[in-house]
Amino acid sequence: MHPPRPSAAPAVQATLDDLGTPLAEGTFVVVDLETTGGRAGGSAITEIGAVKLRGGEVLGEFSSLVNPGSPIPAHITLLTGITQAMVATAPPIGAVLPAFLEFANLEGGAVLVAHNTPFDVSFLKAACAEQDRPWPRPRVVDTLPLARRLVTREEVRDHKLGTLARFFALADRPSHRALDDARAAAGVLHGLLERLGPMGVDSVEELCAFRTAPTRAQRSKRHLGEGLPDAPGVYVFSDARGEALYVGKSTSLRKRVRSYFTAAETRGRVREMIGLVEGVTPIPCATGLEAEVREMRLIAERKPPYNRRSRNPERASWIKLTPEAFPRLSKVRTVRDDGAPYLGPFTSAREAELAREALLDAFPLRQCTRRIGRGDAGPACVLAQMGRCGAPCTGAEGPEEYAVHADAAREAMTGDPDAVVEALRGAIAGLSADLRYEEAAVRRDRLAAFLRGAARSQRLSALTGIGELVAARPLAGAPGSWEVHAVRRGRLAAAAVMEPGADPHAFVAALRATAETVPPGPGPAPAAAPQETECVLRWLEGPGVRLVELDAPWTCPARGAERHRDLTDWARETTAEHS
């Protein structure tokens, strides 16, 4: 036996980063480059100019010629005025680049700004790669597309830097020299920011995410985001009748909800929803995990129309080996307390059917739905004639003989799947040798679906088999504090933050005493939706988590389906490549 391994995290509801840095407090580094040509890699930098700004004030400037190590074309000299003689004694990029990066401090949170950033960023990235330096991956603002959104063609004939500098009546005009152009771009940035102010763009994050101006409804309903706690939790947008429209989560309720009413929110469906919103209900949570779980539960319970994920967990499909004298494989929606083994859940009915066919390829189980009693006899079906069923309906195979196949299928579903793996891989090899590649691909997909379902049910069963588990992890950004969770049968039963100096034994005892009572139940996910248990699993498998108490061992089968992860990943990647 071995502990469960992490699995690929399923898709979860997407969120934007919380908004935080006011524009007046953000640091912007406006850069311009002169080069020997228009393509990074085939050309080189001849000059770097930059202006660092914060709150409308110039913090510093950077300017340096660069020896490109190659001749400057004549048309470039005519354009920029930079001659070969001027760069002959200039330092190479290997000396200028570190000085520029230190000045810019992009890793410290500064925003890189340029007029047509793809050009400048591509040359800076190429220079970093040439010097074996990691690119700092800063946030970037491009004044060119920003100007196209904010300055109409009725106001300017084009959106070139010189045209915009004249439009905003700037003292600094571009001259195709790096520092002059950087100063002009900085002035253009200020002019554009003034136009963004009335649109509700108040933070650096909103600026970086800006695509279109906020709607009238967004602007008129900003008051709904005020007065919310700056704490993790769940928020519920509701309409005039109090019906839930959308449920989300965040590490900061106030910042996240406010973002819906600004230009940072550009999703069409969400903007449509904002027009219907009349109220916001915050539900503060002790930890991020509690917020994620509560979000899932609320979405499943209220089924808000503007949520696309997790709305119908009850629609998951399972494969069940029926508890009868001659068991068969059945695709079901509900897990019952009938002692039958269940495989899944599967993300779609098609995935479940593929897994069922994989088991039928490996074991000669009956596929008819008739009830077979002692003394029943009748003609054998086509599957029996093909050797894919022992024909218990004709009496050719008795209960004891048939039980061998059923027991092997049960073991493959709950323990060692090697019998299915060997059968399907053998079939794939044979079909490939006969050049029947499409049929081989079908067997490949069946095997991958079966292994994914088996691994999922085994991982869920490993955690849900534990009556109670208490685990803790250091709380990020709060030295000495711990987020502590009590999990019962895979369901989050309690969550709290233990502050520095608290008695851990007394704290855990109090958490357990106040935790939700979770009775036992059937199947791999007896007490919570599978998505919730998998969410808890991801948290438990995260860095820094410490198991405090368990009332049973936490193990998966040593020869379980997780051993064949390479087969499921390979099939998924192959499918993605051809989709």
PDB file of all heavy atoms in Angstrom, residues 315-319 331-333 344-355 449 452 456:
ATOM      1  N   ARG A 315     -25.307  15.001 -12.053  1.00  0.00           N
ATOM      2  CA  ARG A 315     -25.377  14.391 -13.379  1.00  0.00           C
ATOM      3  C   ARG A 315     -24.162  13.533 -13.715  1.00  0.00           C
ATOM      4  O   ARG A 315     -24.044  13.022 -14.829  1.00  0.00           O
ATOM      5  CB  ARG A 315     -25.524  15.482 -14.439  1.00  0.00           C
ATOM      6  CG  ARG A 315     -26.849  16.235 -14.377  1.00  0.00           C
ATOM      7  CD  ARG A 315     -26.963  17.245 -15.497  1.00  0.00           C
ATOM      8  NE  ARG A 315     -28.203  18.010 -15.411  1.00  0.00           N
ATOM      9  CZ  ARG A 315     -28.518  19.006 -16.230  1.00  0.00           C
ATOM     10  NH1 ARG A 315     -27.679  19.346 -17.203  1.00  0.00           N
ATOM     11  NH2 ARG A 315     -29.655  19.662 -16.079  1.00  0.00           N
ATOM     12  N   ALA A 316     -23.269  13.366 -12.779  1.00  0.00           N
ATOM     13  CA  ALA A 316     -22.082  12.541 -13.018  1.00  0.00           C
ATOM     14  C   ALA A 316     -22.496  11.095 -13.284  1.00  0.00           C
ATOM     15  O   ALA A 316     -23.497  10.607 -12.753  1.00  0.00           O
ATOM     16  CB  ALA A 316     -21.145  12.609 -11.823  1.00  0.00           C
ATOM     17  N   SER A 317     -21.737  10.432 -14.117  1.00  0.00           N
ATOM     18  CA  SER A 317     -22.022   9.035 -14.461  1.00  0.00           C
ATOM     19  C   SER A 317     -21.070   8.104 -13.723  1.00  0.00           C
ATOM     20  O   SER A 317     -19.899   8.432 -13.501  1.00  0.00           O
ATOM     21  CB  SER A 317     -21.881   8.823 -15.967  1.00  0.00           C
ATOM     22  OG  SER A 317     -22.843   9.573 -16.674  1.00  0.00           O
ATOM     23  N   TRP A 318     -21.579   6.940 -13.349  1.00  0.00           N
ATOM     24  CA  TRP A 318     -20.789   5.913 -12.674  1.00  0.00           C
ATOM     25  C   TRP A 318     -20.977   4.587 -13.414  1.00  0.00           C
ATOM     26  O   TRP A 318     -21.992   4.374 -14.074  1.00  0.00           O
ATOM     27  CB  TRP A 318     -21.252   5.724 -11.228  1.00  0.00           C
ATOM     28  CG  TRP A 318     -21.163   6.946 -10.367  1.00  0.00           C
ATOM     29  CD1 TRP A 318     -22.032   8.000 -10.333  1.00  0.00           C
ATOM     30  CD2 TRP A 318     -20.156   7.239  -9.402  1.00  0.00           C
ATOM     31  NE1 TRP A 318     -21.636   8.929  -9.413  1.00  0.00           N
ATOM     32  CE2 TRP A 318     -20.485   8.496  -8.809  1.00  0.00           C
ATOM     33  CE3 TRP A 318     -19.011   6.574  -8.950  1.00  0.00           C
ATOM     34  CZ2 TRP A 318     -19.716   9.074  -7.816  1.00  0.00           C
ATOM     35  CZ3 TRP A 318     -18.247   7.151  -7.957  1.00  0.00           C
ATOM     36  CH2 TRP A 318     -18.584   8.378  -7.401  1.00  0.00           C
ATOM     37  N   ILE A 319     -20.012   3.694 -13.247  1.00  0.00           N
ATOM     38  CA  ILE A 319     -20.148   2.321 -13.725  1.00  0.00           C
ATOM     39  C   ILE A 319     -20.284   1.425 -12.502  1.00  0.00           C
ATOM     40  O   ILE A 319     -19.462   1.495 -11.580  1.00  0.00           O
ATOM     41  CB  ILE A 319     -18.946   1.876 -14.573  1.00  0.00           C
ATOM     42  CG1 ILE A 319     -18.829   2.744 -15.831  1.00  0.00           C
ATOM     43  CG2 ILE A 319     -19.070   0.408 -14.955  1.00  0.00           C
ATOM     44  CD1 ILE A 319     -20.012   2.667 -16.745  1.00  0.00           C
ATOM     45  N   LYS A 331     -24.400   1.469 -16.352  1.00  0.00           N
ATOM     46  CA  LYS A 331     -24.088   2.892 -16.247  1.00  0.00           C
ATOM     47  C   LYS A 331     -25.215   3.567 -15.483  1.00  0.00           C
ATOM     48  O   LYS A 331     -26.383   3.504 -15.893  1.00  0.00           O
ATOM     49  CB  LYS A 331     -23.927   3.495 -17.646  1.00  0.00           C
ATOM     50  CG  LYS A 331     -23.438   4.926 -17.657  1.00  0.00           C
ATOM     51  CD  LYS A 331     -23.071   5.357 -19.065  1.00  0.00           C
ATOM     52  CE  LYS A 331     -24.256   5.292 -20.000  1.00  0.00           C
ATOM     53  NZ  LYS A 331     -23.933   5.746 -21.367  1.00  0.00           N
ATOM     54  N   VAL A 332     -24.867   4.229 -14.340  1.00  0.00           N
ATOM     55  CA  VAL A 332     -25.892   4.789 -13.465  1.00  0.00           C
ATOM     56  C   VAL A 332     -25.543   6.226 -13.091  1.00  0.00           C
ATOM     57  O   VAL A 332     -24.401   6.674 -13.257  1.00  0.00           O
ATOM     58  CB  VAL A 332     -26.053   3.937 -12.185  1.00  0.00           C
ATOM     59  CG1 VAL A 332     -26.510   2.532 -12.535  1.00  0.00           C
ATOM     60  CG2 VAL A 332     -24.748   3.896 -11.391  1.00  0.00           C
ATOM     61  N   ARG A 333     -26.543   6.947 -12.561  1.00  0.00           N
ATOM     62  CA  ARG A 333     -26.354   8.318 -12.094  1.00  0.00           C
ATOM     63  C   ARG A 333     -26.252   8.390 -10.574  1.00  0.00           C
ATOM     64  O   ARG A 333     -25.757   9.362 -10.030  1.00  0.00           O
ATOM     65  CB  ARG A 333     -27.545   9.180 -12.542  1.00  0.00           C
ATOM     66  CG  ARG A 333     -27.656   9.379 -14.029  1.00  0.00           C
ATOM     67  CD  ARG A 333     -26.664  10.386 -14.540  1.00  0.00           C
ATOM     68  NE  ARG A 333     -26.967  10.816 -15.900  1.00  0.00           N
ATOM     69  CZ  ARG A 333     -26.178  11.576 -16.628  1.00  0.00           C
ATOM     70  NH1 ARG A 333     -25.044  12.003 -16.123  1.00  0.00           N
ATOM     71  NH2 ARG A 333     -26.507  11.927 -17.853  1.00  0.00           N
ATOM     72  N   GLY A 344     -15.734   5.526 -10.994  1.00  0.00           N
ATOM     73  CA  GLY A 344     -16.001   6.896 -11.423  1.00  0.00           C
ATOM     74  C   GLY A 344     -15.806   7.866 -10.276  1.00  0.00           C
ATOM     75  O   GLY A 344     -15.089   7.565  -9.315  1.00  0.00           O
ATOM     76  N   PRO A 345     -16.467   9.023 -10.361  1.00  0.00           N
ATOM     77  CA  PRO A 345     -17.417   9.431 -11.409  1.00  0.00           C
ATOM     78  C   PRO A 345     -16.707   9.863 -12.690  1.00  0.00           C
ATOM     79  O   PRO A 345     -15.534  10.223 -12.669  1.00  0.00           O
ATOM     80  CB  PRO A 345     -18.142  10.607 -10.763  1.00  0.00           C
ATOM     81  CG  PRO A 345     -17.115  11.222  -9.872  1.00  0.00           C
ATOM     82  CD  PRO A 345     -16.323  10.062  -9.326  1.00  0.00           C
ATOM     83  N   PHE A 346     -17.459   9.855 -13.770  1.00  0.00           N
ATOM     84  CA  PHE A 346     -16.958  10.252 -15.076  1.00  0.00           C
ATOM     85  C   PHE A 346     -17.529  11.617 -15.447  1.00  0.00           C
ATOM     86  O   PHE A 346     -18.644  11.963 -15.074  1.00  0.00           O
ATOM     87  CB  PHE A 346     -17.333   9.219 -16.131  1.00  0.00           C
ATOM     88  CG  PHE A 346     -16.685   7.888 -15.918  1.00  0.00           C
ATOM     89  CD1 PHE A 346     -17.319   6.909 -15.177  1.00  0.00           C
ATOM     90  CD2 PHE A 346     -15.426   7.620 -16.433  1.00  0.00           C
ATOM     91  CE1 PHE A 346     -16.722   5.677 -14.958  1.00  0.00           C
ATOM     92  CE2 PHE A 346     -14.817   6.394 -16.215  1.00  0.00           C
ATOM     93  CZ  PHE A 346     -15.460   5.421 -15.478  1.00  0.00           C
ATOM     94  N   THR A 347     -16.757  12.370 -16.204  1.00  0.00           N
ATOM     95  CA  THR A 347     -17.164  13.728 -16.565  1.00  0.00           C
ATOM     96  C   THR A 347     -18.258  13.746 -17.613  1.00  0.00           C
ATOM     97  O   THR A 347     -18.901  14.779 -17.812  1.00  0.00           O
ATOM     98  CB  THR A 347     -15.959  14.522 -17.077  1.00  0.00           C
ATOM     99  OG1 THR A 347     -15.361  13.797 -18.177  1.00  0.00           O
ATOM    100  CG2 THR A 347     -14.913  14.684 -15.977  1.00  0.00           C
ATOM    101  N   SER A 348     -18.478  12.635 -18.292  1.00  0.00           N
ATOM    102  CA  SER A 348     -19.525  12.587 -19.323  1.00  0.00           C
ATOM    103  C   SER A 348     -20.016  11.159 -19.466  1.00  0.00           C
ATOM    104  O   SER A 348     -19.343  10.194 -19.073  1.00  0.00           O
ATOM    105  CB  SER A 348     -18.986  13.082 -20.666  1.00  0.00           C
ATOM    106  OG  SER A 348     -18.010  12.181 -21.176  1.00  0.00           O
ATOM    107  N   ALA A 349     -21.208  11.026 -20.037  1.00  0.00           N
ATOM    108  CA  ALA A 349     -21.761   9.697 -20.269  1.00  0.00           C
ATOM    109  C   ALA A 349     -20.904   8.933 -21.276  1.00  0.00           C
ATOM    110  O   ALA A 349     -20.758   7.703 -21.174  1.00  0.00           O
ATOM    111  CB  ALA A 349     -23.205   9.811 -20.770  1.00  0.00           C
ATOM    112  N   ARG A 350     -20.332   9.641 -22.231  1.00  0.00           N
ATOM    113  CA  ARG A 350     -19.494   8.976 -23.221  1.00  0.00           C
ATOM    114  C   ARG A 350     -18.242   8.396 -22.570  1.00  0.00           C
ATOM    115  O   ARG A 350     -17.832   7.270 -22.875  1.00  0.00           O
ATOM    116  CB  ARG A 350     -19.091   9.951 -24.325  1.00  0.00           C
ATOM    117  CG  ARG A 350     -18.173   9.330 -25.376  1.00  0.00           C
ATOM    118  CD  ARG A 350     -17.766  10.326 -26.450  1.00  0.00           C
ATOM    119  NE  ARG A 350     -16.881   9.724 -27.431  1.00  0.00           N
ATOM    120  CZ  ARG A 350     -15.560   9.607 -27.271  1.00  0.00           C
ATOM    121  NH1 ARG A 350     -14.984  10.072 -26.180  1.00  0.00           N
ATOM    122  NH2 ARG A 350     -14.820   9.041 -28.222  1.00  0.00           N
ATOM    123  N   GLU A 351     -17.630   9.147 -21.648  1.00  0.00           N
ATOM    124  CA  GLU A 351     -16.446   8.655 -20.957  1.00  0.00           C
ATOM    125  C   GLU A 351     -16.789   7.405 -20.154  1.00  0.00           C
ATOM    126  O   GLU A 351     -16.020   6.435 -20.120  1.00  0.00           O
ATOM    127  CB  GLU A 351     -15.910   9.752 -20.026  1.00  0.00           C
ATOM    128  CG  GLU A 351     -14.601   9.423 -19.352  1.00  0.00           C
ATOM    129  CD  GLU A 351     -13.383   9.840 -20.131  1.00  0.00           C
ATOM    130  OE1 GLU A 351     -13.519  10.190 -21.317  1.00  0.00           O
ATOM    131  OE2 GLU A 351     -12.282   9.805 -19.554  1.00  0.00           O
ATOM    132  N   ALA A 352     -17.958   7.405 -19.515  1.00  0.00           N
ATOM    133  CA  ALA A 352     -18.380   6.235 -18.750  1.00  0.00           C
ATOM    134  C   ALA A 352     -18.589   5.031 -19.658  1.00  0.00           C
ATOM    135  O   ALA A 352     -18.223   3.895 -19.319  1.00  0.00           O
ATOM    136  CB  ALA A 352     -19.654   6.551 -17.980  1.00  0.00           C
ATOM    137  N   GLU A 353     -19.177   5.257 -20.827  1.00  0.00           N
ATOM    138  CA  GLU A 353     -19.418   4.159 -21.759  1.00  0.00           C
ATOM    139  C   GLU A 353     -18.103   3.579 -22.276  1.00  0.00           C
ATOM    140  O   GLU A 353     -17.964   2.355 -22.428  1.00  0.00           O
ATOM    141  CB  GLU A 353     -20.285   4.636 -22.923  1.00  0.00           C
ATOM    142  CG  GLU A 353     -20.666   3.551 -23.911  1.00  0.00           C
ATOM    143  CD  GLU A 353     -21.438   2.403 -23.268  1.00  0.00           C
ATOM    144  OE1 GLU A 353     -22.161   2.629 -22.276  1.00  0.00           O
ATOM    145  OE2 GLU A 353     -21.299   1.265 -23.767  1.00  0.00           O
ATOM    146  N   LEU A 354     -17.117   4.437 -22.521  1.00  0.00           N
ATOM    147  CA  LEU A 354     -15.803   3.941 -22.945  1.00  0.00           C
ATOM    148  C   LEU A 354     -15.179   3.051 -21.867  1.00  0.00           C
ATOM    149  O   LEU A 354     -14.600   1.999 -22.177  1.00  0.00           O
ATOM    150  CB  LEU A 354     -14.870   5.118 -23.246  1.00  0.00           C
ATOM    151  CG  LEU A 354     -15.145   5.915 -24.524  1.00  0.00           C
ATOM    152  CD1 LEU A 354     -14.263   7.161 -24.573  1.00  0.00           C
ATOM    153  CD2 LEU A 354     -14.895   5.051 -25.762  1.00  0.00           C
ATOM    154  N   ALA A 355     -15.278   3.462 -20.607  1.00  0.00           N
ATOM    155  CA  ALA A 355     -14.726   2.659 -19.514  1.00  0.00           C
ATOM    156  C   ALA A 355     -15.457   1.321 -19.400  1.00  0.00           C
ATOM    157  O   ALA A 355     -14.840   0.272 -19.152  1.00  0.00           O
ATOM    158  CB  ALA A 355     -14.824   3.430 -18.208  1.00  0.00           C
ATOM    159  N   ALA A 449      -9.989   5.927 -20.588  1.00  0.00           N
ATOM    160  CA  ALA A 449     -11.190   6.290 -19.825  1.00  0.00           C
ATOM    161  C   ALA A 449     -11.345   5.396 -18.604  1.00  0.00           C
ATOM    162  O   ALA A 449     -11.675   5.878 -17.505  1.00  0.00           O
ATOM    163  CB  ALA A 449     -12.419   6.189 -20.719  1.00  0.00           C
ATOM    164  N   ARG A 452      -8.656   6.370 -15.965  1.00  0.00           N
ATOM    165  CA  ARG A 452      -8.976   7.644 -15.302  1.00  0.00           C
ATOM    166  C   ARG A 452     -10.087   7.448 -14.269  1.00  0.00           C
ATOM    167  O   ARG A 452     -10.017   7.965 -13.154  1.00  0.00           O
ATOM    168  CB  ARG A 452      -9.377   8.696 -16.337  1.00  0.00           C
ATOM    169  CG  ARG A 452      -8.205   9.289 -17.098  1.00  0.00           C
ATOM    170  CD  ARG A 452      -8.607  10.561 -17.822  1.00  0.00           C
ATOM    171  NE  ARG A 452      -9.514  10.306 -18.933  1.00  0.00           N
ATOM    172  CZ  ARG A 452      -9.121  10.079 -20.178  1.00  0.00           C
ATOM    173  NH1 ARG A 452      -7.835  10.067 -20.470  1.00  0.00           N
ATOM    174  NH2 ARG A 452      -9.999   9.861 -21.142  1.00  0.00           N
ATOM    175  N   ARG A 456      -9.591   7.760 -10.206  1.00  0.00           N
ATOM    176  CA  ARG A 456     -10.396   8.750  -9.488  1.00  0.00           C
ATOM    177  C   ARG A 456     -11.163   8.103  -8.339  1.00  0.00           C
ATOM    178  O   ARG A 456     -11.186   8.615  -7.215  1.00  0.00           O
ATOM    179  CB  ARG A 456     -11.365   9.417 -10.464  1.00  0.00           C
ATOM    180  CG  ARG A 456     -11.997  10.686  -9.914  1.00  0.00           C
ATOM    181  CD  ARG A 456     -12.887  11.363 -10.939  1.00  0.00           C
ATOM    182  NE  ARG A 456     -13.351  12.663 -10.441  1.00  0.00           N
ATOM    183  CZ  ARG A 456     -14.305  13.376 -11.006  1.00  0.00           C
ATOM    184  NH1 ARG A 456     -14.887  12.936 -12.109  1.00  0.00           N
ATOM    185  NH2 ARG A 456     -14.679  14.527 -10.491  1.00  0.00           N
TER     186      ARG A 456
END
